[in-house]
Amino acid sequence: MPDHTIGDTRDRDRVELAPGEVPSDGRFANPDLLPVPVEARRWTTYNFTALWVGMAHNIPSWLLASGLVALGMDWKQAVFTIALANLIVLVPMLLIGHAGPKYGIPFPVLARASFGLRGANLAAMIRAAVACAWFGIQTWIGGSGIFVLLGKVFGGWEDAAKIAGQPWPLWLCFILFWALELAIIYRGMEALRRFENWAAPFVIVGALALLVWIGVKAGGFGELLDQPSKLGWGEDFWPVFFPSLMGMIAFWSTLSLNIPDFTRFGAGQRSQIRGQTLGLPTTMTLFALLSVFVTSGSEAVYGAPIWDPVELVAKTDSVFGLLYALVTVLVATISVNIAANVVSPAYDLANLAPRRINFRRGALITGVVGVLIMPWKLTSTPELYIYTWLGLVGGLLGTVAGILIADYWVVRRTRLSLPDLYREGGPYWYTGGWNISAVAAFVVGGVLAIGGSHSAPGQGPFPEEGLIPFLKPLADYGWAVGVASSFLLYTALMIRRHPTR
C-alpha cells in the first residue's frame, strides 16, 4: 500500500497540514474540524488520566454495580463484570485514539477515511444522537441530585406545586444545571482541560469522604459483602452475565468512537496510551468497589442498602456535609457530561454543515436535543437501562468501531492523506462522497448486532421472541457481534476492491 501521509513530517508520529493547503472555510472544513497544529498538541499523561477520572466518577457510574446486583449478582460478580468490560473497551479506545496525536483530527474527520466525506455523517449522526441522549440522562440525574440536596438544606419543597408530574423546583434545578453545563463548554476545549485537571481530585476526595463517613457511622461495614449471589456461577449466571457485560462495555463504547476528539490534543502516543490505561479500567473498577463498600455500610446503618449516593447523603443533618455533597455532585456530573456527551456531538454536528455549525453551535444544539428526548424514562428500570438502552447503543456503536479499526489499522496501516480528508475528488471521495463498502458493513453488522433484540414480557419495547427471531441468540453479545462482523466484512470488501492494499 502506498504511503498516503502528507504534510509536515518532522516527527513521524505528528503530522500536520502545510499552511494554506486546505481552506479553513471550505465545503468540508472549518477551524474546529481542521487538524490541531503540532505545537497545540500538549495534553500529557496526567491530562488524559484526569479526564477519565473526572468522567468515571459520576452518579450513573456509581449506580452500575447496583444495577447488576439488582439483576441477581453479588458484589464480587458485579465488580468483576465492570472491570472486565472496561479492559475490553480500552482496546478499541487505544486503537481508534491513535489517529488523534498523529494527525490532530476529530472523530468525524477520521470517519471520512472509511465512510467517505459525506458518508462520515452517518457514523457521526449515530454517535451524536447517542451523546444527546446521554447528555439528557446525566443532566436529569445531576439536576435531581441538586434538588434533593437543596431540599434537605432549605426544606419546604415537599408541598411544591407540580408541573408535568414533577415539583417545579426540580424542573428549575434541571434547567439551571443545564445552562451551567453549556456555559462551561461554550468556553472551548482548553477550558475543559483546566476544569478536568482540578475536578478529578476534587471528586475523588468527595467519594472517599463519603466512604469514611458511612464507615464511621456503621462502625465497619454491613452484611452486603457477605450476601451470596442469587445466580451462583452456573447456568443461571451466564445468561445474565453476557448481556450485562455488553451493557457495561456499551457504557463507554460511545467514547471509544470519538476518543480522537480528545487525543488530537495529545503530546504524543505515549501520553494517550498511558493516560487512558491508567485512567479508565482502574478508575471504573475502584469506583465500583467504592460504591459497593459505601452501600454495604448504609445497610449496616439504615437496615437496607442505599445505592443512590444522593439519597444516602441526604440522610445526614450536617449542613456542611450536604453543601459539600452538593458541590461534589455538580462537579462530578458536569465533568462527565461535558467531556463525554457534548464535545462529540458538537464536532459531529459541525461535520454535518461546517459552514453553518461551529463547535459552540453544535454544543447548544446538543443541549436542546438532550432535553427533548425526555431522559428520565430511559433509566426507570435496570432492565430498560442495561438491556435495552445500553445494549442497543453498544450494538450500533460497536459496528461503527469495527469499521474504523479495520480501515485505519488493516486497510491503511495508520497512513492517511491529511489534505484529502477535507476535499472532493481524492481517495476518500469514493462514490459521490460515500463508501458503499462501509455502508454495507454497517448495515449487515448492525442487523446482526441488534436484530435479535428482545425484552421480557412487560419489561421493554421489543417482542419476547426478538425483532428477528433467528438472530435472538446473538442479541446478548451485541457489541462484540457488531465489532467482529463489521470488521471482517469491511476488510474483505476493501481488499477485494483494492487488492494492492
Side-chain angles (χ1 to χ4, degrees):
M1 174 179 172
D3 188 347
H4 290 300
T5 300
I6 297 178
D8 184 351
T9 56
R10 292 169 293 178
D11 183 331
R12 184 178 178 184
D13 291 325
R14 292 156 69 81
V15 182
E16 64 182 352
L17 293 172
E21 196 167 11
V22 173
S24 61
D25 59 349
R27 186 177 179 185
F28 295 98
N30 67 26
D32 294 316
L33 294 177
L34 288 174
V36 174
V38 166
E39 64 271 13
R41 301 177 204 172
R42 53 178 180 264
W43 283 33
T44 64
T45 296
Y46 175 78
N47 294 136
F48 286 110
T49 303
L51 176 74
W52 275 113
V53 171
M55 288 197 296
H57 289 175
N58 59 84
I59 297 173
S61 291
W62 184 284
L63 295 175
L64 284 180
S66 66
L68 295 179
V69 171
L71 293 172
M73 295 186 182
D74 63 18
W75 73 271
K76 295 184 292 295
Q77 292 171 330
V79 172
F80 167 73
T81 303
I82 292 169
L84 180 59
N86 284 280
L87 284 172
I88 293 172
V89 81
L90 179 64
V91 175
M93 201 83 69
L94 296 178
L95 292 176
I96 296 174
H98 183 278
K102 183 169 184 177
Y103 296 102
I105 54 176
F107 155 67
V109 175
L110 174 63
R112 293 174 181 178
S114 51
F115 282 85
L117 270 72
R118 287 175 173 164
N121 287 318
L122 171 64
M125 287 302 99
I126 290 171
R127 174 63 182 92
V130 171
C132 289
W134 269 122
F135 176 82
I137 290 172
Q138 290 276 7
T139 303
W140 178 256
I141 291 173
S144 300
I146 296 168
F147 167 76
V148 170
L149 295 176
L150 284 180
K152 180 71 175 179
V153 173
F154 298 108
W157 284 359
E158 294 82 0
D159 300 324
K162 293 187 176 181
I163 300 175
Q166 302 290 349
W168 70 262
L170 174 56
W171 291 112
L172 179 61
C173 291
F174 174 62
I175 293 170
L176 291 177
F177 185 57
W178 172 83
L180 177 62
E181 291 176 309
L182 293 186
I184 293 175
I185 195 61
Y186 194 77
R187 297 179 63 87
M189 287 295 293
E190 185 61 22
L192 173 62
R193 183 181 70 87
R194 293 194 298 267
F195 180 82
E196 294 290 351
N197 283 347
W198 69 264
F202 184 90
V203 173
I204 291 176
V205 171
L208 292 176
L210 183 59
L211 176 64
V212 171
W213 170 70
I214 197 66
V216 170
K217 287 184 69 71
F221 294 99
E223 300 178 357
L224 186 73
L225 299 181
D226 297 323
Q227 291 296 313
S229 169
K230 297 177 183 177
L231 305 172
W233 289 94
E235 59 182 13
D236 293 332
F237 173 70
W238 302 110
V240 174
F241 169 74
F242 284 110
S244 297
L245 179 67
M246 294 301 108
M248 297 304 101
I249 290 173
F251 190 79
W252 288 124
S253 66
T254 49
L255 264 293
S256 71
L257 285 187
N258 75 284
I259 194 64
D261 294 344
F262 301 97
T263 61
R264 68 194 297 230
F265 298 96
Q269 297 299 339
R270 183 177 299 178
S271 297
Q272 72 104 359
I273 291 172
R274 288 182 176 179
Q276 294 203 79
T277 303
L278 288 172
L280 172 58
T282 55
T283 297
M284 285 295 293
T285 302
L286 291 175
F287 206 54
L289 278 170
L290 188 62
S291 71
V292 167
F293 291 147
V294 171
T295 304
S296 177
S298 72
E299 185 176 42
V301 175
Y302 300 107
I306 302 174
W307 286 98
D308 188 338
V310 173
E311 181 184 348
L312 178 60
V313 173
K315 290 185 173 293
T316 182
D317 293 322
S318 168
V319 174
F320 173 79
L322 288 167
L323 291 176
Y324 185 86
L326 176 65
V327 175
T328 302
V329 168
L330 277 169
V331 172
T333 308
I334 289 174
S335 179
V336 64
N337 217 13
I338 292 177
N341 303 318
V342 177
V343 172
S344 173
Y347 283 128
D348 296 338
L349 290 164
N351 188 71
L352 185 65
R355 292 178 177 175
R356 296 182 178 88
I357 303 176
N358 58 18
F359 181 83
R360 288 182 171 87
R361 289 175 183 169
L364 294 175
I365 294 172
T366 299
V368 173
V369 175
V371 174
L372 295 178
I373 55 97
M374 295 185 290
W376 44 89
K377 295 187 177 182
L378 290 176
T379 55
S380 57
T381 68
E383 290 82 8
L384 185 63
Y385 180 50
I386 293 177
Y387 289 166
T388 303
W389 167 243
L390 290 179
L392 196 67
V393 165
L396 286 177
L397 297 184
T399 303
V400 177
I403 293 170
L404 294 184
I405 294 170
D407 184 80
Y408 185 70
W409 286 95
V410 178
V411 176
R412 306 190 189 282
R413 303 180 187 237
T414 76
R415 291 174 292 186
L416 300 175
S417 172
L418 203 49
D420 286 318
L421 290 170
Y422 296 92
R423 60 193 182 198
E424 300 179 28
Y428 312 124
W429 187 243
Y430 298 104
T431 304
W434 289 81
N435 183 2
I436 304 304
S437 296
V439 175
F442 171 77
V443 171
V444 173
V447 170
L448 292 175
I450 67 173
S453 297
H454 56 91
S455 302
Q459 295 186 353
F462 303 120
E464 184 178 1
E465 67 277 8
L467 289 172
I468 303 176
F470 75 90
L471 292 179
K472 183 178 179 180
L474 298 180
D476 291 346
Y477 314 94
W479 181 84
V481 170
V483 170
S485 58
S486 64
F487 179 95
L488 293 173
L489 180 56
Y490 180 83
T491 301
L493 291 174
M494 291 298 288
I495 289 177
R496 183 178 179 182
R497 287 180 58 183
H498 306 282
T500 59
R501 293 179 177 174

